[in-house]
Amino acid sequence: MGMAPLLPLTLDEASKVLEWPIGVSMALSELAQGPAISRVSSGEALLDYIVEMRHRGGMRDAKLPARAVQGMGLFFRELVPEDFCRGFFGSLLPAMAQLALRLSALVKDHIDGSVSDRFPSQLDFLQLRALPAGQSGMVLLSQELVASILACGFFCLYPSAERNKLDLPDLNFYKLFMALVDENREESAKHKIICLLHYFQIVCESVPQGMISYERKVLSLEQEMEDPLSFWSSSSRPLCQILVMEDGTIEGSDTPVLEVDFANRVLGGGVLGAGCLQEEIRCVINPELIAGRLFLPAMQDNEAIEIVGTQCYNRYEGYASSFRFAGKFFDNKARDAWGRKETHIVAIDALPFPGEAQFDAALMLRELNKAYCGFLVHQSIQCGGSSESARGVATGNWGCGVFGGDHEVKSMLQWLAASEVSISMSQKFMLWDDEKPLQAGRPFLLYYTFKDPRTTKLQRIADWILEQKWSVLELWSVLIEYGKGRKYTKVGFFDWLLPD
């Protein structure tokens, strides 16, 4: 479908150009001139102004919840210093309004210039559009357009009707302020907002000139496959190297890696609400990830989302309720031939709350294929910079926190997925609709434990398996055997494999 119903813009029938509704355009223009013109110098006044813009934009649900009003007022009145408020209302807010106002021009430039000039033969392939479930594809956006998309989200200007039909997550920021009203989450929510405002401060002062790609990857089994387990049960691929890291973070690796986002089905999860776990934290230190929510509906079991080129703007400390903004991050990563930062992030969602059923072959296969889909490389998108196939995978306790996944089995499944090297359509799997081979090609896996005591045996187990020269099929077969016997024992996989 076209993007018009998903944007706060209207399509001019004569020119076929997406433009701001005149009422919203006037309101943003006033806001861009500062508080002397807009009369917006408090959180309550800003929320009222946002609601008025939503009315002018013709939204049926223009009014926002009372808790959003309460939260925005609380943030600027009590939770941040007075000089922060003066700087926000005096200079940053007007700059953000100007950035949002540029959305129409930037979308037009995206269609007519930034993508078509660079990639004339792939315009349809890379152009801004919805990427619905079941359809592989990629969207390539400038960082400036991404910043404008996010500024419109701060002003809560995205209509919800069409988004709900497509299972698209919300892109409006008001629930962030609602989270401030919950005293148990007030501090983490406050620091998430500070991270996002810090991002806006940086891009409003100097807009980055790079590009970002957002890709939906779809892994589908051919209909005639009689036994979905046979692909893994017949693979003679050797297992790749695995290095267990007790210190450090996935995003802090100093080697070229594919960084795993422990995602929810919808990209970003609760980033624009009360959530503050691994995915949400990654999205507020790399806020450009959030823009994918505009056009990427929830992932299905055989899908992953890979985003290349986002910039890191914020340092942080803590996790969940202890999360805190810790200052500016200077992202010195190089750019590839497409102008993307050499940051490759893949979102894969684990099974939520699988309990004992997670040891069944069918559920292990789901997790294995999900990780494999995320780790695959499509040859037609290779470009300058470091080779994608030379990138290892940086991951950790995927789906093992609140989702309740088993650390030991999930680490083995991710190892299997990273180890499987190359396949083609004739070998039962398909990614994209062409004849080009697929390749995982991951030479190593970095596993960050975050000092979780349940992963202390991982390196010893992995080293033993590598010494035995097991292949993918051998490790997979042992996991299947363990799963079958799980109902008779509660011993973990590591102790079952190598009893002390």
Side-chain angles (χ1 to χ4, degrees), residues 151-466:
C152 293
F154 177 85
F155 293 118
C156 304
L157 294 174
Y158 290 101
S160 60
E162 291 298 326
R163 302 188 63 76
N164 292 338
K165 291 179 184 177
L166 286 179
D167 198 17
L168 282 161
D170 198 355
L171 193 52
N172 294 323
F173 283 30
Y174 68 91
K175 290 181 181 177
L176 267 171
F177 291 92
M178 290 174 62
L180 294 170
V181 182
D182 183 343
E183 63 179 20
N184 295 322
R185 301 182 179 183
E186 177 186 291
E187 279 298 306
S188 59
K190 178 183 82 171
H191 283 269
K192 284 168 61 181
I193 295 170
I194 291 172
C195 281
L196 293 172
L197 293 182
H198 182 248
Y199 158 75
F200 284 122
Q201 180 180 350
I202 292 173
V203 298
C204 286
E205 290 174 353
S206 178
V207 179
Q209 298 301 306
M211 306 293 286
I212 303 170
S213 64
Y214 302 79
E215 177 189 2
R216 180 182 289 276
K217 301 160 111 174
V218 181
L219 181 71
S220 52
L221 302 171
E222 289 186 351
Q223 295 299 315
E224 65 270 19
M225 180 181 287
E226 295 180 2
D227 180 10
L229 300 175
S230 63
F231 175 82
W232 296 100
S233 299
S234 60
S235 174
S236 60
R237 305 287 181 190
L239 294 166
C240 68
Q241 293 296 311
I242 180 171
L243 182 62
V244 178
M245 315 287 286
E246 291 188 5
D247 298 311
T249 60
I250 292 171
E251 70 274 9
S253 174
D254 56 4
T255 57
V257 288
L258 177 68
E259 303 167 13
V260 177
D261 164 15
F262 304 162
N264 289 261
R265 288 185 63 243
V266 295
L267 182 65
V271 62
L272 298 182
C276 199
L277 300 178
Q278 192 256 14
E279 179 175 34
E280 289 86 2
I281 291 172
R282 193 63 202 267
C283 284
V284 295
I285 65 172
N286 289 60
E288 291 154 333
L289 291 168
I290 301 170
R293 293 166 69 96
L294 175 62
F295 50 85
L296 286 163
M299 289 180 279
Q300 301 302 307
D301 282 349
N302 60 333
E303 297 181 343
I305 293 171
E306 183 168 348
I307 301 177
V308 181
T310 64
Q311 192 166 327
C312 185
Y313 296 85
N314 302 306
R315 294 187 295 110
Y316 74 97
E317 300 171 348
Y319 187 79
S321 62
S322 66
F323 172 78
R324 301 292 184 268
F325 169 71
K328 182 176 182 177
F329 182 88
F330 295 90
D331 191 334
N332 297 317
K333 285 190 177 180
R335 296 186 184 275
D336 64 20
W338 286 17
R340 303 176 299 181
K341 282 279 187 181
E342 288 276 12
T343 299
H344 296 235
I345 299 171
V346 64
I348 52 174
D349 57 302
L351 287 167
F353 319 114
E356 284 297 306
Q358 67 183 292
F359 304 106
D360 295 344
L363 269 64
M364 285 197 289
L365 182 65
R366 186 272 184 196
E367 301 294 76
L368 179 56
N369 285 342
K370 170 67 72 167
Y372 185 59
C373 179
F375 300 166
L376 281 167
V377 178
H378 188 248
Q379 297 303 303
S380 67
I381 65 168
Q382 297 307 295
C383 54
S386 60
S387 170
E388 176 64 14
S389 60
R391 289 179 179 273
V393 174
T395 188
N397 302 325
W398 171 52
C400 299
V402 294
F403 275 15
D406 182 86
H407 290 68
E408 299 180 4
V409 169
K410 293 295 280 293
S411 63
M412 296 294 102
L413 293 174
Q414 292 184 85
W415 189 16
L416 285 169
S419 298
E420 181 60 28
V421 182
S422 64
I423 55 176
S424 67
M425 288 176 62
S426 63
Q427 291 174 288
K428 303 300 185 183
F429 282 97
M430 296 181 292
L431 181 69
W432 305 75
D433 298 320
D434 58 25
E435 297 295 332
K436 296 183 179 178
L438 308 172
Q439 186 172 11
R442 305 299 178 181
F444 61 88
L445 184 135
L446 300 181
Y447 195 100
Y448 290 88
T449 69
F450 308 104
K451 299 187 185 301
D452 192 306
R454 291 170 291 185
T455 53
T456 53
K457 297 181 180 180
L458 175 55
Q459 189 69 68
R460 181 168 69 88
I461 294 293
D463 290 344
W464 182 85
I465 290 173
L466 289 170

Side-chain angles (χ1 to χ4, degrees), residues 18-34:
L18 289 165
E19 299 285 0
W20 278 109
I22 187 64
V24 180
S25 176
M26 291 176 62
L28 285 172
S29 296
E30 289 179 359
L31 200 58
Q33 296 178 65

Side-chain angles (χ1 to χ4, degrees), residues 4-29:
L6 304 180
L7 293 169
L9 309 173
T10 56
L11 183 65
D12 184 277
E13 293 299 333
S15 65
K16 302 300 181 184
V17 172
L18 289 165
E19 299 285 0
W20 278 109
I22 187 64
V24 180
S25 176
M26 291 176 62
L28 285 172
S29 296

